[in-house]
Amino acid sequence: MRTILDLELLNTFVAVVETESFTAAAPYVGRSQSAVSMQMQRLEQSLGKQLLVRTPKAVVPNASGNQLLEYARRLLALSDEASATITRQSELARVRLGVPDDYAASLLPQILRRFANEHPRVVIELVCEPSERLNRAIRDNRIDLAVVTRAADQSIEVLRRERLVWVSSPTHAAWYSDPLPVALFETGTARAHVLRALADSGRAYHCTYSSASLSGLVTVVRSGLSVAGLALCSVPDSLRVIQDVEGLPQLDDLEIGILQNPICDLRAVDRLRDSLRRDLSN
C-alpha cells in the first residue's frame, strides 16, 4: 500500500528540526507542544521509521530524519508553487523588509537565502535604515516588516540578544587617549548605550565622528582616529574587539526584534516574519 505523506505533518517536522524543540516549533505551526509531539508520532508511524532523537538539550533528526528533511522542504516549496499557480496568482509577491545596515550584512544573508529557496515566488525589497527610521516607516506604511534594535521604551518581542563591543583599529590604541575619541551612530540604541556607559564610568570623551552609516563609522575607526561601539555580529575583520582588560566601560547588550505593519495581511509577509523569527532566535 502506498504511503501518502501529509504536508501538514511535514511542515511541523521541518519546524521541529529547525527549532530543535517541540515547544519552540509550536507557535510556528499554530499548535500546542503536545499536539506537535502527537503529529511527529503520527509521521513516524506512517513511515514506520524513527525520525527524531530526543536528547537532554534538543530534538535532532537521525539519519532517516535528515533524509526526509530535504524531501519535506522540496515538497512544501512545490505545494506553495502549485497553490500560487492554480489560484492564478502568477505575479510575484513582494515584501518590503527594513533592517539596519549593521545587521543586513551579518545576520540576513543566510536567512534570506534559505527563504528564497523555500519561497521562490516572493521578492524581498530591502530597505536599510537605522531602527528609529524603520519604526517610522512601519507607522507610515512604507515597509511591511522591520528587524530593529529595541529602544528603551519599546514593547516588542525580543528574539535575539547581541553583544555591543568596543572596537578599534588593529594597529592603533586610540582608547589610551584622554579624552577618549569616540565615533557614534547619529541615533539609536547603540549610541545611547555607549553614551550612558561613558557617563556612568566618568570617562572623559569627545565625539570625533557621527554617522547613520556603518561603513562610515568603520572607515573612521580603521584609520585609528577613534573607537566605537558596534554589535559583535557586525564587526568586520578589519577591526579588532577591545578586550575588557583595556579599561573601557562595559556596554549593555542590544535586543533585536521584529515589527510588522498591522494593516498588511499578505501571506508572504507572514511567511517571511516566521522565517525571521525562527532564524534570528536560533
Side-chain angles (χ1 to χ4, degrees):
M1 181 177 177
R2 184 175 63 177
T3 299
I4 299 177
L5 293 172
D6 186 324
L7 289 178
E8 184 178 356
L9 299 184
L10 293 179
N11 185 54
T12 301
F13 172 71
V14 172
V16 169
V17 171
E18 291 180 342
T19 61
E20 299 185 340
S21 164
F22 291 158
T23 301
Y28 294 113
V29 296
R31 292 184 175 274
S32 65
Q33 182 272 337
S34 60
V36 169
S37 179
M38 291 177 62
Q39 282 191 320
M40 294 303 90
Q41 291 177 20
R42 285 172 51 200
L43 181 60
E44 289 179 331
Q45 289 169 0
S46 69
L47 291 170
K49 292 273 189 178
Q50 183 180 356
L51 302 170
L52 299 167
V53 178
R54 287 78 166 170
T55 72
K57 293 185 178 180
V59 178
V60 296
N62 59 17
S64 296
N66 279 318
Q67 282 184 319
L68 178 63
L69 181 61
E70 297 306 313
Y71 286 108
R73 285 173 171 157
R74 286 158 57 187
L75 287 169
L76 291 170
L78 282 172
S79 175
D80 286 343
E81 184 178 345
S83 176
T85 301
I86 298 302
T87 56
R88 299 182 182 276
Q89 295 176 352
S90 57
E91 71 279 2
L92 295 175
R94 295 184 181 274
V95 180
R96 300 166 297 175
L97 172 65
V99 61
D101 68 347
D102 49 335
Y103 297 155
S106 55
L107 296 181
L108 283 194
Q110 185 175 353
I111 296 175
L112 296 184
R113 186 162 51 248
R114 178 186 297 182
F115 184 82
N117 290 335
E118 295 174 350
H119 307 285
R121 301 193 65 77
V122 179
V123 174
I124 298 175
E125 297 179 358
L126 198 61
V127 177
C128 290
E129 291 185 357
S131 293
E132 184 176 300
R133 296 178 188 172
L134 294 176
N135 289 327
R136 291 199 299 269
I138 286 283
R139 293 195 297 268
D140 296 341
N141 193 31
R142 290 188 282 114
I143 57 176
D144 305 309
L145 286 172
V147 176
V148 298
T149 304
R150 190 182 79 84
D153 58 348
Q154 191 173 20
S155 178
I156 62 172
E157 178 186 7
V158 175
L159 300 177
R160 181 189 188 98
R161 294 182 183 274
E162 194 69 36
R163 282 184 60 203
L164 183 64
V165 296
W166 292 104
V167 295
S168 73
S169 162
T171 57
H172 296 77
W175 63 90
Y176 286 133
S177 300
D178 190 23
L180 179 71
V182 181
L184 297 166
F185 285 111
E186 284 182 358
T187 61
T189 305
R191 176 189 176 97
H193 283 357
V194 169
L195 293 178
R196 182 169 59 250
L198 290 170
D200 290 347
S201 70
R203 178 72 183 264
Y205 71 93
H206 67 99
C207 179
T208 61
Y209 183 80
S210 181
S211 172
S213 162
L214 173 65
S215 60
L217 217 63
V218 168
T219 298
V220 171
V221 174
R222 190 167 54 208
S223 70
L225 297 177
S226 63
V227 298
L230 295 182
L232 181 61
C233 66
S234 63
V235 177
D237 293 338
S238 59
L239 300 182
R240 62 168 287 192
V241 174
I242 304 173
Q243 301 302 321
D244 293 342
V245 294
E246 302 297 351
L248 291 180
Q250 184 74 35
L251 298 172
D252 291 336
D253 290 347
L254 299 172
E255 297 177 328
I256 302 173
I258 298 176
L259 295 177
Q260 181 168 348
N261 188 333
I263 67 173
C264 181
D265 59 359
L266 289 177
R267 186 181 181 191
V269 173
D270 293 336
R271 287 186 176 262
L272 179 57
R273 179 204 61 210
D274 291 344
S275 291
L276 288 166
R277 288 185 67 199
R278 175 191 66 200
D279 293 342
L280 286 175
S281 297
N282 289 338

